[in-house]
Amino acid sequence: MTALLGRKIGMTRYFMEDGTNLPVTVIECGPCVVTQVKTSERDGYAAVQIAFGDARPRRSSMPIIGHDGKAGIGPKRHHREFRVADDAAAQAFSLGQALGAADMEGVRFVDVTGTSKGKGFAGPMKRHNFAGLEASHGVERKHRSAGSIASHATNRGSGPKVKKGKRMAGHMGDERITVRSLDVIKVIPDRNLILVKGPVPGANDGILWLEPSKRLWRRKARLAAAGA
Amino acid sequence: MNRTDTIESIVADQLRGDADIPYFTVGDTLNVHTRIIEGEKERIQVYQGVLIGMKGRGINRTITVRRIVANEGVERIFPLHSPRIAKIEVVRRGDARRAKLYYLRDRVGKSRRLRDQRRGLKHVQAWEAKQATSGQAATPVEEPVADAGE
């Protein structure tokens, strides 16, 4: 079990041998470097911390420089850790070990986490897929509004208050999103590139976190079982 | 290597070589040979029509080919680099003065046809000669065939 930090390169299309035409996202995963191995004895749990992307030493803090220095590398920009089953699994990794796309070979499905594109302050139609009000029939200046928000069932039965968590206009996007069970189409180990089917969160050049899928959608699980 | 170069390098081996694609422009009548997979068997189907538009670049390039089937206009959009396209032949060179021939959709009868292109083909002939000498059998069919639409 391993996970990787990566950078979104962009999308393109990919033709399979049978002629199917797939939309794919190209992700540059690595080189990632193991910067810390956590064990239950010392840290209370077993995990591996990896780092990705060079940072300029002048722009880095001394703690980061020192921390990454223990792994024998210059300061890195992004650090992230993933849990492993037990101490033995954690100690299979060594400080300064390089991880890359090659470690994802043989993985059929991945979960990709990233920060979605910020949409700013968005109305309820865009943010929550509300239907809005009618275009005519006497509706004035409220065509994209959410409609009534209170006087329905509230947390305390029915009453004049707005229910907690009522979906309204507000800030949309720029949040952490995980897309699960993406098909891995191709792995190019020598260039640290992974092609996954479909879109992933965030803009190009955004930082992504890839893990082998924890749990598959039912349909994909069936396919995987049939293929295996 | 920047992002665009990286993406282009990934799909580079999927692109059809120059030798595989004859020279054609919008207005030409094309024979598009498509691979059709039926169960185990694979056969080739030829679709003939007028090229009314080209879109995209690189691996995303598509061609729109229009023909008339049973008095009904049919337009198919082919990804130019799809492996399902076996071959493309130029049947007839038409003279088109715009990049997209969407006006053909509103035309009926004889006005649907395009004039043959007679001028400005020197570079095409040069290209074909080069293909012929380099031993490629990709030379397009030259004799005019009746318009697919008629």
Side-chain angles (χ1 to χ4, degrees):
Chain A
M1 156 72 199
T2 179
L4 293 174
L5 275 166
R7 186 170 75 105
K8 177 170 169 181
I9 299 290
M11 292 192 71
T12 182
R13 71 169 81 205
Y14 201 81
F15 292 111
M16 304 302 278
E17 273 171 22
D18 61 350
T20 359
N21 175 2
L22 297 178
V24 293
T25 307
V26 183
I27 304 170
E28 184 181 60
C29 317
C32 297
V33 186
V34 176
T35 46
Q36 193 179 4
V37 176
K38 296 192 172 182
T39 56
S40 57
E41 184 194 338
R42 212 174 76 93
D43 306 283
Y45 61 100
V48 176
Q49 187 194 70
I50 59 173
F52 172 70
D54 290 330
R56 280 190 289 167
R58 265 189 65 192
R59 291 277 180 187
S60 307
S61 63
M62 284 312 287
I64 295 277
I65 294 174
H67 178 78
D68 288 353
K70 283 185 202 157
I73 52 165
K76 294 282 181 181
R77 188 102 180 257
H78 308 278
H79 298 76
R80 199 85 177 260
E81 69 177 39
F82 57 90
R83 300 283 281 261
V84 288
D86 50 25
D87 287 358
Q91 272 150 0
F93 293 87
S94 56
L95 273 185
Q97 181 187 349
L99 302 175
D103 296 285
M104 281 286 178
E105 266 183 312
V107 176
R108 284 186 66 194
F109 303 101
V110 286
D111 294 346
V112 179
T113 305
T115 307
S116 63
K117 283 184 184 174
K119 305 289 179 193
F121 190 98
M125 286 180 76
K126 182 170 179 159
R127 191 174 180 216
H128 301 299
N129 290 332
F130 282 9
L133 301 189
E134 289 193 67
S136 67
H137 292 301
V139 178
E140 280 181 316
R141 304 176 297 276
K142 284 181 171 296
H143 306 286
R144 295 183 64 86
S145 79
S148 170
I149 55 169
S151 210
H152 289 291
T154 67
N155 290 340
R156 304 174 299 149
S158 67
K161 290 200 172 181
V162 176
K163 196 170 178 179
K164 292 255 168 76
K166 181 79 198 156
R167 292 178 297 167
M168 293 192 205
H171 189 272
M172 181 184 175
D174 195 19
E175 55 184 336
R176 183 191 150 111
I177 304 276
T178 303
V179 190
R180 299 193 186 278
S181 304
L182 290 179
D183 295 44
V184 176
I185 303 300
K186 194 178 179 188
V187 178
I188 309 171
D190 51 333
R191 295 175 60 195
N192 271 325
L193 295 174
I194 293 181
L195 272 56
V196 299
K197 183 179 167 189
V200 303
N204 289 344
D205 267 345
I207 292 297
L208 300 169
W209 175 247
L210 278 82
E211 295 171 285
S213 280
K214 293 208 172 77
R215 201 176 59 191
L216 294 173
W217 300 132
R218 194 180 292 170
R219 188 181 63 81
K220 283 203 178 156
R222 241 190 347 253
L223 283 176
Chain B
M1 193 180 257
N2 66 26
R3 289 201 319 262
T4 318
D5 291 344
T6 308
I7 288 176
E8 280 177 2
S9 68
I10 288 168
V11 293
D13 57 329
Q14 299 207 315
L15 293 180
R16 221 170 263 275
D18 278 353
D20 263 4
I21 311 173
Y23 180 94
F24 53 75
T25 54
V26 170
D28 295 351
T29 303
L30 303 180
N31 269 349
V32 184
H33 297 241
T34 49
R35 290 202 176 90
I36 306 222
I37 296 151
E38 291 168 333
E40 293 291 294
K41 271 187 270 178
E42 188 189 291
R43 65 188 177 83
I44 301 264
Q45 193 180 60
V46 183
Y47 178 89
Q48 188 183 69
V50 181
L51 179 62
I52 63 163
M54 297 201 263
K55 248 185 181 177
R57 53 182 64 203
I59 189 94
N60 292 320
R61 194 142 183 86
T62 58
I63 56 174
T64 306
V65 184
R66 178 178 173 86
R67 68 171 296 180
I68 309 291
V69 181
N71 256 335
E72 190 62 46
V74 175
E75 282 175 20
R76 280 186 73 178
I77 302 169
F78 298 98
L80 190 57
H81 296 283
S82 165
R84 285 207 182 141
I85 295 186
K87 189 166 68 165
I88 299 175
E89 290 170 333
V90 181
V91 176
R92 182 169 166 257
R93 303 221 177 259
D95 187 20
R97 291 189 166 220
R98 31 213 103 234
K100 303 280 189 290
L101 304 183
Y102 296 148
Y103 68 86
L104 289 183
R105 291 169 178 166
D106 306 326
R107 295 284 181 92
V108 233
K110 273 192 181 174
S111 64
R112 200 184 275 143
R113 289 178 310 193
L114 293 168
R115 270 190 314 176
D116 270 356
Q117 191 173 10
R118 295 172 201 283
R119 304 167 68 186
L121 283 170
K122 271 186 188 154
H123 62 290
V124 181
Q125 281 152 3
W127 183 88
E128 280 163 4
K130 204 177 114 200
Q131 292 297 312
T133 50
S134 64
Q136 300 289 342
T139 323
V141 187
E142 262 310 307
E143 75 270 22
V145 176
D147 194 342
E150 298 303 310

